[in-house]
Amino acid sequence: MTGLVVCVLVLAAASAYGVLQRRRSGRVRVRGRDDGKRLDAAELGAELGERATLVQFSSAFCAPCRATRRVLGEVAGVVPGVTHVEIDAEAHLDLVRRLDILKTPTVLVLDADGRVVRRATGQPRKADVIAALGEAV
């Protein structure tokens, strides 16, 4: 009987953890660790946007990365002065380590000066990206 109780508790804890992770994935939020972090055109391999830049860290076999690319491309096409830059995480490991990129896709929202103002891990929703741009511009 004790084994059954332990099994039920483990399943309940794993389910709660899974629900929490799913809710957090893709949410755009401010992280204290990003304070003062800045990227320039040389590090990105592209010019910064006039008002803001959406930086996406991707990997080759990441299915959510393709959907994220589409969402960020649409937002950059609609919001004037916003640029979308995609970076291959595997090819830029020094940048990945410096910015604490732990999984792909990760999206950084940069202001016009290249300062990181928001971060999303997982596939963000279009409305969340547009709202996050409000702080960058």
Side-chain angles (χ1 to χ4, degrees):
M1 190 63 154
T2 305
L4 179 62
V5 171
V6 170
C7 206
V8 168
L9 289 175
V10 168
L11 285 173
S15 296
Y17 178 77
V19 168
L20 178 65
Q21 283 299 102
R22 186 174 185 144
R23 289 183 57 105
R24 291 183 66 196
S25 181
R27 296 184 76 189
V28 180
R29 57 193 170 276
V30 176
R31 288 189 16 183
R33 292 187 293 187
D34 289 331
D35 285 343
K37 291 187 180 173
R38 183 175 286 211
L39 295 171
D40 60 22
E43 292 173 306
L44 294 176
E47 291 298 316
L48 291 170
E50 183 181 310
R51 297 174 65 201
T53 306
L54 300 170
V55 180
Q56 174 185 350
F57 284 87
S58 300
S59 54
F61 300 103
C62 168
C65 293
R66 289 187 290 276
T68 299
R69 179 184 314 121
R70 183 182 45 76
V71 167
L72 298 181
E74 289 174 6
V75 170
V78 171
V79 181
V82 174
T83 302
H84 170 228
V85 176
E86 187 170 5
I87 296 175
D88 180 7
E90 296 171 39
H92 295 87
L93 291 177
D94 54 333
L95 197 54
V96 165
R97 288 183 190 105
R98 184 168 73 85
L99 296 169
D100 299 320
I101 306 298
L102 302 176
K103 70 183 238 182
T104 57
T106 293
V107 177
L108 303 178
V109 180
L110 310 180
D111 64 12
D113 296 324
R115 212 174 14 250
V116 179
V117 294
R118 296 274 183 187
R119 170 185 292 246
T121 303
Q123 182 182 337
R125 296 179 322 166
K126 190 177 198 177
D128 291 338
V129 174
I130 292 171
L133 284 172
E135 184 170 326
V137 294

